[in-house]
């Protein structure tokens, strides 16, 4: 998939009102429904159990595969272990030829989509018809599309579109009534079940201890597929293995709740060996022929990769898609393969094509939402970042990006000099404090939002050291970040005012520089490593008690990324850990140490936006609200307060169409509160949301929590 094709597919998806409407409605309904389904359950405890059992299964994959094969054969099944997708297809084709199969019915087999089994059988055997019997899969098959979602393959389609497809298939005039459409599907598929020569299914779990296959479905077709035809083939990937039967319980608790917000699927089928069946003549067969194809096709390669083996903890619930702001805008077809979304990109890299996945990883916004909702505890954003790093290592960075990262970003004086030069060069385009229009190929940057002007005087030139009256309670190092230093210096001045009022001595180490997140996002970890060392050195010299920042992304990098990047380095690991232990976000620091602060009551109507890294990475969302209430604002919670704003740093430049579509939703939710001020704790989010509000000529002001506290402080 070329960049041009990806951009074209994105634009096509964004222009499809039916698609964005269907995905948007589902996305909004999913979160509260999921919360209700998990009531009374400890999600963190449950996902830890799943993570443990799936990690154990991955680490012992070969042993469990052999144990499963032995037990399944003991139960009467015929088991074939396929190293590749081609081996799996050839084996199933031999079974088809042996039994002179003409018609096949299928259910619950994403693995068969992975290896394009249907096309192979139709071209290489005498099979006349292969029918998908899951309702969503049948819809997709009839209209010649690919699944757009791992659990709900036709989620992108409206009932009207489905009615038109069914009408064409059945030569009937059909209304878009769901109950009637389901009845039409049932009537048309029932005869196919009864006449099928062979059934192909997948499985959600394969239990090594007992040789049992577990399949979760909401339609009766799954059991019809596995029981009615005289021959049954189960195609299952090695990642579905678990060691013990007791491991099934946690997965069954989480899978339906995370996938479709159900407490339990309508059917849970457990197959321990072949069942009885009926042959073509209508005679009872006491024990049908059951084949289990245990497929590798890249899974052991994933298991052997120390970084990516955690992806085998996926239980295919697709909750990562359900909460992904990008997926909700463009759907699954943009990903161009069977497995969609963030986890789909990772699976594509190992099960299909690394090159294709290398392009798809650009779709990830790094909002961290998938990580918080994943019942397998997979750090999908970190895996996407690693995929990006490997792509860059293999293909290299574009010359412009390489020059900026390696020659400019790592040279603090040059970097800061260029930003100062930009503050002069921007003057013809600045009105007030914003840039609403840019010329030539820069024009796209101001479509749908304005940009903040680079400050004439950066924060580092406005402040340096602030000492309170009396003995300082602690010595605080202030980390500004690029936006806080050169674009929003007024935020830093507000923070200084509050910290000084708390009795803190505040220091601005002049040698501090970019935290390195742009380099990490672009796949250049060596640049990020250099910047980490530069920042640690800059702050070490000051003998600080705390390091405070107004930017949650910077805090995450300073507190967690630096430690990860320097782990194992004998000269730097301990220094990074000591540095990280002092780092804290502004709101948490004020909440913990500013109990004596006195505020005037602002009385302003304020709504609050939770930045992705603040809430999901730092786990901070209550503290800023408590501080705002203390400052006497009228706090109005907006719908989707923790929905991503679409900024994502360089993402808003690389994928402006998606970024703006996500921003539009945030702007609408903000406006609906009728608030006077949108408060937040992230300079990047301010850049995005304030720009969007300005483009719509809104009077809503966007302010950092620090600014509001500084206004209210006595």
């Amino acid at each position: 998939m070329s960049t041009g094709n990806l951009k074209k597919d994105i634009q096509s998806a964004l222009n499809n009102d039916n698609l964005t409407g269907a995905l948007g409605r589902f996305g909004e309904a999913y979160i509260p429904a999921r919360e209700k389904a998990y009531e009374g359950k400890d999600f963190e405890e449950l996902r830890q159990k799943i993570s443990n059992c799936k990690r154990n299964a991955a680490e012992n994959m070969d042993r469990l595969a052999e144990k499963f094969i032995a037990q399944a054969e003991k139960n009467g099944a015929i088991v074939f272990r396929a190293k590749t997708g081609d081996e799996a297809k050839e084996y199933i084709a031999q079974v088809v030829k042996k039994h002179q199969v003409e018609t096949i019915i299928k259910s619950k087999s994403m693995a068969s989509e992975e290896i394009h089994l249907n096309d192979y059988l139709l071209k290489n055997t005498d099979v006349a018809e292969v029918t998908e019997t899951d309702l969503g899969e049948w819809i997709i098959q009839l209209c010649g599309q690919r699944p757009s979602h791992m659990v709900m393959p036709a989620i992108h389609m409206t009932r009207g579109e489905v009615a038109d497809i069914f009408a064409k298939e059945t030569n009937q005039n059909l209304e878009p009534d769901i109950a009637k459409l389901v009845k039409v599907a049932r009537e048309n598929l029932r005869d196919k079940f009864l006449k099928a020569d062979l059934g192909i299914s997948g499985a959600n779990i394969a239990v090594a201890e007992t040789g049992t296959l577990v399949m979760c479905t909401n339609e009766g077709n799954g059991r019809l597929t596995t029981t009615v035809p005289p021959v049954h083939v189960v195609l299952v990937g090695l990642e579905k293995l678990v060691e013990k039967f007791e491991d099934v319980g946690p997965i069954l608790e989480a899978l339906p709740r995370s996938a479709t917000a159900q407490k339990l699927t309508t059917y849970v089928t457990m197959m321990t060996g072949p069942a009885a069946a009926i042959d073509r003549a209508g005679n009872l067969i006491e024990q049908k022929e059951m084949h289990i194809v245990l497929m590798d096709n890249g899974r052991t390669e994933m298991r052997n990769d120390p970084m990516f083996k955690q992806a085998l903890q996926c239980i295919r619930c697709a909750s990562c898609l359900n909460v992904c702001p990008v997926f909700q805008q463009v759907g699954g077809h943009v990903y161009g393969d069977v497995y969609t979304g963030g986890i789909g990109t990772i699976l594509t890299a190992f099960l299909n094509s690394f090159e294709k996945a290398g392009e798809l990883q650009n779709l990830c916004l790094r909002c961290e939402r998938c990580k918080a909702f994943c019942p397998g505890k997979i750090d999908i954003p970190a895996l996407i970042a690693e995929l990006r790093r490997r792509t860059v290592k293999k293909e290299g960075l574009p010359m412009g990006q390489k020059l900026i990262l390696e020659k400019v970003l790592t040279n603090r004086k040059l970097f800061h000099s260029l930003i100062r030069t930009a503050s002069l060069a921007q003057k013809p385009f600045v009105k007030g404090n914003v840039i609403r229009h840019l010329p030539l190929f820069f024009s796209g940057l101001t479509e749908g939002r304005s940009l903040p002007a680079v400050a004439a005087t950066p924060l580092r030139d406005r402040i340096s050291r602030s000492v309170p009256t009396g003995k300082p309670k602690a010595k605080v190092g202030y980390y500004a970040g690029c936006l806080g230093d050169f674009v929003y210096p007024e935020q830093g001045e507000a923070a200084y005012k509050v910290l000084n009022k708390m009795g803190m001595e505040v220091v601005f180490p002049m040698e501090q520089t970019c935290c390195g997140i742009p380099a990490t996002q672009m796949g250049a970890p060596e640049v990020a490593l250099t910047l980490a060392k530069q920042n640690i050195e800059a702050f070490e010299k000051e003998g600080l008690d705390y390091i405070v920042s107004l930017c949650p992304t910077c805090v995450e990098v300073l507190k967690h990324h630096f430690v990860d990047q320097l782990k194992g380095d004998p000269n730097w690991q301990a220094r990074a850990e000591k540095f990280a232990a002092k780092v804290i976000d502004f709101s948490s620091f004020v909440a913990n140490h500013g109990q004596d602060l006195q505020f005037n009551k602002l009385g302003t109507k304020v709504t609050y936006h939770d930045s992705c890294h603040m809430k999901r990475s730092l786990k901070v969302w209550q503290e800023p609200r408590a501080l705002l209430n203390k400052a006497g604002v009228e706090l109005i919670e907006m719908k989707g307060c923790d929905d991503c704003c679409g900024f994502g740093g360089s993402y808003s430049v690389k994928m402006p169409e998606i970024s703006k579509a996500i921003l539009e939703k945030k702007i609408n939710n903000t406006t609906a509160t009728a608030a006077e001020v949108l408060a937040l704790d992230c300079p990047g989010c301010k850049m995005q949301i304030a720009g969007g509000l300005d483009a719509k000529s809104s009077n809503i002001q966007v302010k950092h929590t620090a600014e509001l506290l500084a206004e209210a402080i006595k």
Side-chain angles (χ1 to χ4, degrees):
M1 178 186 291
S2 68
T3 302
N5 288 338
L6 180 59
K7 289 282 188 179
K8 185 178 177 182
D9 289 344
I10 288 170
Q11 199 58 59
S12 176
L14 291 172
N15 291 337
N16 186 334
D17 292 338
N18 284 343
L19 171 69
T20 55
L23 294 173
R25 286 189 295 274
F26 174 78
E28 288 186 5
Y30 171 77
I31 299 293
R34 177 191 174 279
E35 286 177 0
K36 189 171 183 180
Y38 270 107
E39 280 180 358
K41 296 286 180 183
D42 186 333
F43 178 62
E44 290 303 320
E45 181 183 348
L46 191 60
R47 73 200 295 233
Q48 188 61 55
K49 289 180 181 178
I50 294 170
S51 173
N52 291 344
C53 84
K54 293 289 283 183
R55 189 188 311 113
N56 172 66
E59 291 171 352
N60 296 280
M61 185 180 281
D62 293 324
R63 178 176 65 81
L64 296 188
E66 292 304 319
K67 188 173 182 180
F68 175 84
I69 291 170
Q71 289 298 320
E73 289 178 340
K74 186 178 178 181
N75 296 335
I78 302 164
V79 186
F80 176 74
R81 188 167 177 181
K83 291 182 180 178
T84 65
D86 286 341
E87 283 189 9
K89 288 187 288 188
E90 289 165 9
Y91 179 83
I92 295 170
Q94 291 303 315
V95 174
V96 166
K97 291 173 183 177
K98 173 187 172 185
H99 292 277
Q100 299 178 329
V101 171
E102 296 179 2
T103 58
I104 297 173
I105 54 173
K106 290 178 65 203
S107 174
K108 293 293 290 183
S109 184
M110 205 77 186
S112 71
E113 299 269 5
E114 176 189 322
I115 62 175
H116 308 291
L117 179 62
N118 291 10
D119 289 343
Y120 184 87
L121 294 178
L122 290 169
K123 290 175 183 176
N124 295 280
T125 70
D126 293 329
V127 169
E129 184 179 59
V130 180
T131 303
E132 300 287 350
T133 65
D134 296 319
L135 182 56
E137 290 282 359
W138 190 51
I139 293 167
I140 293 301
Q141 185 180 38
L142 291 178
C143 62
Q145 295 185 15
R146 296 188 312 274
S148 65
H149 189 281
M150 286 191 282
V151 175
M152 295 165 281
I155 189 177
H156 61 287
M157 304 185 75
T158 64
R159 67 183 72 183
E161 290 174 318
V162 174
D164 291 341
I165 293 166
F166 281 11
K168 185 177 179 181
E169 173 69 13
T170 62
N171 295 315
Q172 301 178 55
N173 291 321
L174 298 173
E175 295 295 321
D177 179 278
I178 293 177
K180 291 180 180 177
L181 293 174
V182 171
K183 185 179 180 183
V184 168
R186 185 181 296 119
E187 289 171 349
N188 279 267
L189 290 172
R190 187 55 55 94
D191 192 50
K192 296 182 186 293
F193 287 118
L194 297 174
K195 293 180 178 179
D197 301 314
L198 182 141
I200 298 175
S201 76
N204 296 95
I205 310 168
V207 185
E209 182 180 50
T210 59
T212 302
L213 295 163
V214 183
M215 187 171 69
C216 303
T217 63
N218 281 318
E219 304 159 33
N221 66 304
R223 289 186 177 175
L224 288 168
T225 300
T226 60
T227 57
V228 175
V231 182
H232 177 207
V233 175
V234 186
L235 178 61
V236 60
L238 285 168
E239 81 281 8
K240 300 298 178 68
L241 286 165
V242 296
E243 183 163 13
K244 300 177 181 178
F245 194 79
E246 65 187 42
D247 295 332
V248 173
I251 297 174
L252 289 186
E253 285 189 78
L255 179 57
R257 287 177 168 87
S258 289
T260 52
Q262 295 172 273
K263 291 185 177 180
L264 191 67
T265 52
T266 308
Y267 301 91
V268 176
T269 303
M270 298 189 182
M271 298 168 281
T272 307
I278 299 171
D279 65 15
R280 292 177 185 172
N283 300 315
L284 178 68
I285 303 172
E286 290 188 7
Q287 183 171 294
K288 65 159 59 181
E289 191 169 303
M290 181 185 191
H291 296 260
I292 301 172
V293 180
L294 200 56
M295 185 171 70
D296 186 339
N297 200 39
R299 287 157 174 85
T300 54
E301 182 187 353
M302 185 180 285
R303 185 274 314 274
N304 293 336
D305 190 299
M307 185 74 181
F308 283 96
K309 69 178 181 181
Q310 67 167 293
L312 294 168
Q313 294 164 207
C314 176
I315 62 172
R316 301 294 194 273
C317 69
S319 59
C320 52
L321 278 67
N322 297 346
V323 300
C324 175
V326 175
F327 183 87
Q328 288 177 16
Q329 294 298 330
V330 300
H333 289 154
V334 163
Y335 292 85
D337 211 82
V338 175
Y339 299 110
T340 58
I343 190 66
T345 301
I346 295 159
L347 295 174
T348 296
F350 284 86
L351 310 184
N352 189 304
S353 163
F354 181 88
E355 287 71 25
K356 185 182 289 186
E359 176 64 24
L360 294 176
Q361 52 83 19
N362 288 308
L363 288 165
C364 179
L365 185 55
R366 291 299 302 271
C367 71
E368 306 271 334
R369 205 173 194 192
C370 53
K371 178 180 173 182
F373 281 81
C374 176
K377 288 195 77 173
I378 304 169
D379 191 348
I380 297 173
L383 297 185
I384 293 287
E386 176 63 14
L387 186 59
R388 188 168 298 169
R389 184 194 69 77
R390 294 186 189 186
T391 301
V392 169
K393 186 177 181 181
K394 184 177 180 181
E395 300 176 3
L397 280 168
M399 186 55 67
Q401 291 182 19
K402 184 179 176 69
L403 180 66
I404 291 170
L405 290 176
E406 296 180 2
K407 301 300 181 184
V408 177
L409 206 58
T410 55
N411 186 329
R412 179 183 58 81
K413 290 183 179 179
L414 175 60
F415 176 43
H416 292 171
S417 296
L418 288 175
I419 297 177
R420 291 175 188 272
T421 303
S423 72
L424 300 174
Q426 71 184 352
K427 285 185 177 180
F429 312 106
V430 176
K431 289 187 178 180
N433 291 318
V434 298
I435 300 170
R436 295 191 175 96
H437 303 286
L438 284 171
L440 305 173
F441 49 84
F442 293 112
S443 61
L445 297 176
T446 51
E447 285 182 15
R449 69 170 187 187
S450 63
L451 293 173
V454 177
T457 308
L459 181 65
R460 63 180 55 238
D461 291 351
R462 300 187 186 196
I463 46 89
S464 56
R465 183 181 300 269
S466 174
V467 182
T469 16
K471 185 181 178 182
K473 293 181 179 178
K475 190 176 182 182
V476 174
Y478 183 78
Y479 183 83
C482 301
L483 287 176
D485 197 351
F486 293 96
V487 179
Y488 298 122
E490 66 278 4
Q491 294 181 2
E493 289 179 312
Y496 259 69
K497 179 180 177 182
V498 175
L499 293 170
N500 191 250
K501 201 72 174 177
M502 290 166 58
M504 303 295 167
E505 178 185 353
V506 189
V507 179
F508 188 105
M510 289 298 172
E511 293 179 4
Q512 64 177 278
T513 188
C514 175
C515 69
I517 191 66
T520 300
Q521 289 183 328
M522 291 182 191
E526 65 287 346
V527 174
L529 187 65
T530 299
L531 295 171
K533 292 177 180 179
Q534 289 177 0
N535 278 305
I536 291 171
E537 285 182 330
F539 280 81
E540 278 179 337
K541 299 173 183 177
E542 301 291 347
L544 303 167
D545 299 306
Y546 302 98
I547 299 169
V548 174
S549 178
L550 297 191
C551 177
T553 304
C554 292
V555 170
E556 182 191 0
V557 174
L558 271 59
K559 195 168 187 65
H560 302 296
H561 292 200
F562 283 9
V563 174
D564 292 339
Q565 289 160 353
L566 294 164
K567 188 175 183 180
D569 188 320
N571 297 319
W572 284 95
Q573 180 174 332
R575 293 168 72 180
E577 290 170 351
K578 185 178 179 180
F579 172 89
K582 299 177 181 181
V583 176
I584 187 170
D585 68 278
F586 173 81
S587 285
S588 294
F589 185 75
V590 177
N592 295 341
H593 301 279
Q595 294 91 342
D596 297 334
L597 285 174
Q598 297 296 315
F599 296 99
N600 296 307
K601 301 299 180 184
L602 291 177
T604 313
K605 288 184 178 179
V606 174
T607 190
Y608 187 81
H609 161 73
D610 293 281
S611 81
C612 297
H613 291 267
M614 185 80 162
K615 183 170 184 180
R616 284 183 273 278
S617 298
L618 303 182
K619 313 296 184 190
V620 176
W621 70 92
Q622 295 171 326
E623 291 86 344
R625 286 173 169 82
L627 292 171
L628 290 170
N629 282 322
K630 196 173 179 181
V633 306
E634 182 186 338
L635 192 59
I636 307 163
E637 291 290 355
M638 76 164 81
K639 180 181 178 183
C641 58
D642 62 351
D643 286 351
C644 183
C645 70
F647 178 58
S650 59
Y651 189 89
S652 61
V653 178
K654 289 196 299 182
M655 296 288 175
E657 305 89 350
I658 299 175
S659 176
K660 289 165 194 169
I662 296 170
L663 172 61
E664 185 72 20
K665 182 179 176 183
K666 178 60 69 174
I667 296 297
N668 292 338
N669 289 343
T670 301
T671 306
T673 64
E676 301 166 81
V677 175
L678 170 74
L680 38 64
D681 275 63
C682 177
C685 292
K686 175 171 180 175
M687 180 176 171
Q688 176 83 339
I689 300 171
L693 288 167
D694 180 72
K696 291 185 177 294
S697 302
S698 172
N699 292 323
I700 300 174
Q701 294 179 286
V702 181
K703 296 185 179 183
H704 197 287
T705 299
E707 294 176 274
L708 288 167
L709 295 182
E711 288 175 23
I713 206 162
K714 288 184 180 178

